[in-house]
Amino acid sequence: MTQSGHIPGQPAGPCLMVIFGATGDLTKRKLIPALYNLSVANLLPSQFAIVGFAVESFTTETFRQTLSDEIKTFETGPIDAKLWNWFLERIYYVQGDFKDPAAYQRLKEQIDQTDQKHGTGGNRFFYLAVSPGFFAEIVEQLGKCCLAQQTNGWARVVIEKPFGHDLDSARKLNQEIKEVLDESQIYRIDHYLGKETVQNIMVFRFGNSIFEPIWNRFFINHVQITAAETVGVEHRGAYYENAGALRDMVPNHLFQLVSLTAMEPPISFDADAVRQKQAEVLHAVQPLLPEEVLTNMVRGQYGEGVADGQRLPAYRSEPSVAPDSNTETYVALKLSIDNWRWADVPFYLRTGKRLAKRATEIAIQFRRPPFILFRNTSIKELQTNRLVIRIQPDEGISLSFGAKVPGPIMNLGLVNMDFEYARYFSAKPQTGYERLLHDCMIGDATLFQRDDMVEAGWKIIQPVLDVWKALPPRNFPNYAANTWGPPEADELLARDEREWAQPE
């Protein structure tokens, strides 16, 4: 049972979804396909509706037609015409400015009409698929027109990242939205947590007795987390200039993976129990001293490159990017978690644009066994065991171990045991938002960030931001597109006599 008393795997109860920024990319690429997939899986309630809200001059009819055209592009499977028509009849549109109180009155009227027509029971959640600068404004307006009140049903607000751009702004945003909303109403979303493999980390660790006993500093040498993209910034240059790779990926996506990998066992899958253990990990990460930032952090920016015979532009040549930009498109860092489980086990994190392969994975490198048994054999070096949890694009888990090569001579080969979700479970491709949207409908906040988790993440990287701000401009670009980043990233591990595990 969830906190709201809902039985997992059953359709959510009656509710209405309001999408702010309904005409944007996120809505057509992720939200609408995810909701459609939920309806295919019979996880949407029959008493469900959507109200889109944006500044563009659509009507309900033109908005529905646009979504019908776009779903053919972004839905991965065939569209059931009857089901899509059922879905489409529950979509409405309100045009208005996010700062205009009169627009919120029109929105309230549409919500009331839709609630009566479709019987959504006064339950509603608001998805802020908008620029971060509008988060506090929209929440304030929802409070003023009484849409955030939970008198005749529940009300929840889903907020996309980035949640702030540094520690002070994150604290300020938390304070502003909590003047209107209770923490239990706030769902800070991270789409990485919607991926099956991410959710499976806890099951893998705590549901298999052979792994949890060795999941500690006595058996694990180090941990690597990689989030690599082959694409550049594309049409997001204006946003990326103000964010960079560090703000865009580390305090949210990568720290979520760190916390799930390193957390202690919770007593249940209850949201507060799980998130408390995640928060403890983030609070145990040792903040870097200014001098440590210079040695334990690497940043880079991609220059021109070539992939498949095609020329790739440098970051500084991308649309809406300054020709002398000092924004990083790559970052690698070394972190230490100061607790009994992970003391002296370094966590290496890296993320970047225009890298050689698209891959997000967690590599657990186990300690090397004693060599004395093999001292008088032809074996010169023992391969260490490595467990790799692949999050995208091919979700799965692999484990490598040594085995004797057949023959009269003692020789070892490395064997891989490999599990792929798609091949084993024949799973239909998902957007990553299905689970998260359904969880919001049923009131399960397990996969959403809590306020203290957000602030703890920013607290870790704030010293880095401070040092970088004080340094002179870097000699960018310092790595070519379609490579694995700047050479300093390899040196970061080489100093510890280690090297990056390259995704297969």
Side-chain angles (χ1 to χ4, degrees):
M1 300 284 285
T2 67
Q3 288 177 307
S4 62
H6 185 86
I7 300 174
Q10 297 296 316
C15 62
L16 181 149
M17 179 181 185
V18 179
I19 305 176
F20 286 88
T23 57
D25 274 359
L26 181 63
T27 300
K28 65 185 179 183
R29 291 176 179 270
K30 300 295 184 181
L31 299 184
I32 295 299
L35 290 166
Y36 174 77
N37 289 339
L38 287 176
S39 65
V40 171
N42 295 316
L43 292 175
L44 274 189
S46 58
Q47 297 161 300
F48 176 75
I50 301 169
V51 176
F53 185 90
V55 70
E56 284 75 15
S57 299
F58 282 94
T59 64
T60 291
E61 290 69 27
T62 57
F63 184 55
R64 289 177 176 178
Q65 184 58 52
T66 300
L67 294 179
S68 294
D69 295 338
E70 291 169 340
I71 192 68
K72 299 170 186 175
T73 302
F74 299 111
E75 173 56 33
T76 55
I79 305 297
D80 183 305
K82 184 178 179 180
L83 183 59
W84 177 250
N85 287 333
W86 175 91
F87 188 75
L88 210 60
E89 289 171 356
R90 286 156 174 76
I91 298 177
Y92 301 87
Y93 184 81
V94 174
Q95 188 275 333
D97 188 284
F98 299 144
K99 296 183 178 182
D100 180 12
Y104 287 84
Q105 289 303 316
R106 295 196 300 273
L107 175 63
K108 189 175 188 299
E109 291 171 4
Q110 180 64 69
I111 288 174
D112 291 340
Q113 293 172 14
T114 306
D115 187 18
Q116 285 189 341
K117 182 175 181 179
H118 296 285
T120 54
N123 300 319
R124 60 197 62 151
F125 66 107
F126 304 89
Y127 198 111
L128 308 192
V130 299
S131 169
F134 289 114
F135 291 164
E137 174 73 32
I138 291 174
V139 171
E140 181 183 358
Q141 294 287 356
L142 290 176
K144 287 180 178 179
C145 65
C146 300
L147 284 171
Q149 292 182 355
Q150 303 190 98
T151 50
N152 299 318
W154 50 258
R156 298 165 187 148
V157 176
V158 183
I159 301 178
E160 275 277 350
K161 65 110 176 166
F163 197 91
H165 62 270
D166 58 15
L167 180 58
D168 288 341
S169 62
R171 285 173 171 166
K172 183 174 184 291
L173 182 55
N174 269 331
Q175 181 181 358
E176 289 173 340
I177 64 176
K178 289 171 77 171
E179 290 176 358
V180 177
L181 304 169
D182 183 78
E183 175 64 27
S184 63
Q185 294 178 268
I186 306 167
Y187 285 66
R188 301 170 187 84
I189 195 168
D190 184 340
H191 70 270
Y192 265 45
L193 297 189
K195 297 182 180 297
E196 287 291 344
T197 311
V198 174
Q199 298 168 45
N200 196 42
I201 293 173
M202 285 193 293
V203 175
F204 181 80
R205 285 186 55 192
F206 307 130
N208 296 287
S209 60
I210 63 174
F211 292 111
E212 181 56 24
I214 61 173
W215 209 265
N216 56 57
R217 60 193 174 100
F218 298 109
F219 295 93
I220 293 176
N221 179 275
H222 70 278
V223 177
Q224 297 181 22
I225 299 179
T226 296
E229 298 179 273
T230 56
V231 298
V233 294
E234 299 178 312
H235 60 282
R236 300 173 69 226
Y239 161 76
Y240 213 81
E241 278 288 84
N242 292 314
L246 182 65
R247 287 184 172 97
D248 187 48
M249 293 291 290
V250 177
N252 37 69
H253 297 331
L254 294 192
F255 281 176
Q256 286 290 321
L257 299 183
V258 168
S259 64
L260 287 169
T261 303
M263 65 190 283
E264 295 297 317
I267 59 172
S268 72
F269 283 111
D270 178 78
D272 286 336
V274 173
R275 295 191 295 178
Q276 181 59 35
K277 294 304 180 183
Q278 288 183 269
E280 289 174 2
V281 171
L282 297 176
H283 287 298
V285 173
Q286 293 180 285
L288 296 176
L289 299 173
E291 56 271 23
E292 290 176 323
V293 173
L294 301 178
T295 56
N296 291 358
M297 295 285 303
V298 174
R299 53 178 167 158
Q301 184 189 96
Y302 65 82
E304 292 184 351
V306 177
D308 298 325
Q310 300 293 317
R311 176 187 166 276
L312 301 174
Y315 173 73
R316 292 178 174 181
S317 300
E318 301 278 18
S320 304
V321 172
D324 59 347
S325 174
N326 197 47
T327 300
E328 81 284 356
T329 61
Y330 178 98
V331 63
L333 60 154
K334 174 184 175 182
L335 295 178
S336 298
I337 300 175
D338 192 19
N339 62 19
W340 282 101
R341 183 183 290 266
W342 297 110
D344 301 322
V345 177
F347 279 66
Y348 300 99
L349 282 60
R350 62 173 172 171
T351 182
K353 299 281 190 183
R354 286 288 187 216
L355 298 183
K357 185 174 182 179
R358 176 176 175 256
T360 300
E361 65 177 39
I362 302 166
I364 311 294
Q365 189 73 51
F366 290 92
R367 294 193 179 278
R368 194 181 303 275
F371 187 72
I372 187 169
L373 175 64
F374 303 94
R375 186 171 52 189
N376 296 320
T377 69
S378 60
I379 298 170
K380 302 300 181 184
E381 184 179 12
L382 291 176
Q383 297 284 346
T384 56
N385 300 113
R386 178 181 293 164
L387 176 71
V388 178
I389 301 172
R390 300 188 306 273
I391 296 166
Q392 66 178 13
D394 300 316
E395 297 183 75
I397 300 172
S398 64
L399 175 66
S400 61
F401 60 92
K404 181 183 177 298
V405 177
I409 300 174
M410 174 61 74
N411 205 352
L412 295 185
L414 201 61
V415 179
N416 275 320
M417 296 175 62
D418 194 55
F419 154 67
E420 293 181 13
Y421 265 93
R423 187 171 61 186
Y424 195 86
F425 291 116
S426 300
K428 177 183 179 292
Q430 302 279 290
T431 68
Y433 281 78
E434 288 83 356
R435 168 70 188 271
L436 299 173
L437 291 174
H438 186 258
D439 281 357
C440 185
M441 295 177 197
I442 66 175
D444 185 349
T446 305
L447 298 178
F448 297 83
Q449 291 198 74
R450 210 167 57 185
D451 55 349
D452 59 329
M453 295 168 64
V454 170
E455 293 182 16
W458 281 114
K459 189 175 181 180
I460 295 168
I461 71 166
Q462 188 60 51
V464 180
L465 297 173
D466 293 339
V467 170
W468 284 2
K469 185 177 180 180
L471 292 174
R474 293 299 309 273
N475 185 25
F476 285 156
N478 61 351
Y479 73 96
N482 196 36
T483 65
W484 278 109
E488 292 88 347
D490 293 327
E491 295 168 8
L492 176 67
L493 272 70
R495 288 198 299 269
D496 297 334
E497 298 184 350
R498 299 182 176 106
E499 60 184 18
W500 291 107
Q502 300 299 3
E504 297 178 2

